[in-house]
């Protein structure tokens, strides 16, 4: 009983998903701090403003159209995406690649045998075509 439960837990993605959610929430705070306190002040030093909210501001019939707010959100998104990619995705891909190399796993795509269900479905399709 215990061995079956251990295999279930070890093979299950539920634990992996829970760990990913917790780490993702914690990493979100780190990325937000990086963007808000390091990268955006650098942009402010270059542009002269910590955000683009005042740029491309139009007023039509008393209604303000704020393209700058959209540009600020877009820049924040790009900075966060870059931070996540360079801090998580690249190191994780390198670690996976090194682990696979250590285990002797190559990325050669082996030609998989066709699924027997597919062969049966193809036969059914051909029989239906022949009956028409």
């Amino acid at each position: 009983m215990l061995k079956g439960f251990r295999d279930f837990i070890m093979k299950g993605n539920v634990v992996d998903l829970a760990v990913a959610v917790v780490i993702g929430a914690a990493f979100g705070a780190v990325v937000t701090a990086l963007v808000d306190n390091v990268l955006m002040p650098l942009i402010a030093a270059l542009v002269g403003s910590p955000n683009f909210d005042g740029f491309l501001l139009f007023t039509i019939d008393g209604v303000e159209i704020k393209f700058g707010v959209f540009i600020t959100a877009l820049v924040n998104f790009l900075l966060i995406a870059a931070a996540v990619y360079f801090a998580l995705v690249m190191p994780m891909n390198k670690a996976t690649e090194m682990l696979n190399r250590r285990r002797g796993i190559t990325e050669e795509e082996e030609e998989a045998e066709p699924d027997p269900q597919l062969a049966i479905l193809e036969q059914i399709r051909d029989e239906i075509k022949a009956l028409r």
Side-chain angles (χ1 to χ4, degrees):
M1 172 70 183
L2 183 61
K3 183 181 182 303
F5 179 74
R6 186 180 67 223
D7 289 343
F8 172 75
I9 292 297
M10 296 306 260
K11 291 181 182 178
N13 290 331
V14 175
V15 174
D16 293 340
L17 183 60
V19 169
V21 168
V22 170
I23 290 175
F27 188 71
V30 172
V31 170
T32 301
L34 173 70
V35 170
D36 290 344
N37 299 316
V38 176
L39 299 176
M40 287 309 283
L42 288 174
I43 289 175
L46 294 174
V47 178
S49 173
N51 57 37
F52 304 105
D53 293 348
F55 296 136
L56 298 172
L57 182 64
F58 300 105
T59 304
I60 300 175
D61 291 332
V63 177
E64 289 186 344
I65 299 172
K66 303 176 183 179
F67 286 110
V69 174
F70 172 72
I71 294 171
T72 300
L74 185 63
V75 168
N76 283 341
F77 169 76
L78 292 174
L79 291 174
I80 289 170
V84 167
Y85 179 76
F86 289 114
L88 280 181
V89 175
M90 276 184 47
M92 198 64 167
N93 286 342
K94 292 289 184 185
T96 302
E97 184 180 304
M98 286 176 28
L99 184 63
N100 286 343
R101 233 183 295 131
R102 178 181 285 172
R103 291 180 178 171
I105 300 172
T106 60
E107 292 188 23
E108 296 175 7
E109 293 185 22
E110 299 175 11
E111 191 168 320
E113 295 181 22
D115 188 9
Q117 293 177 351
L118 235 76
I120 293 171
L121 288 172
E122 289 173 355
Q123 289 175 357
I124 293 171
R125 180 197 63 203
D126 294 341
E127 289 294 325
I128 290 174
K129 283 183 181 179
L131 292 175
R132 290 185 184 176

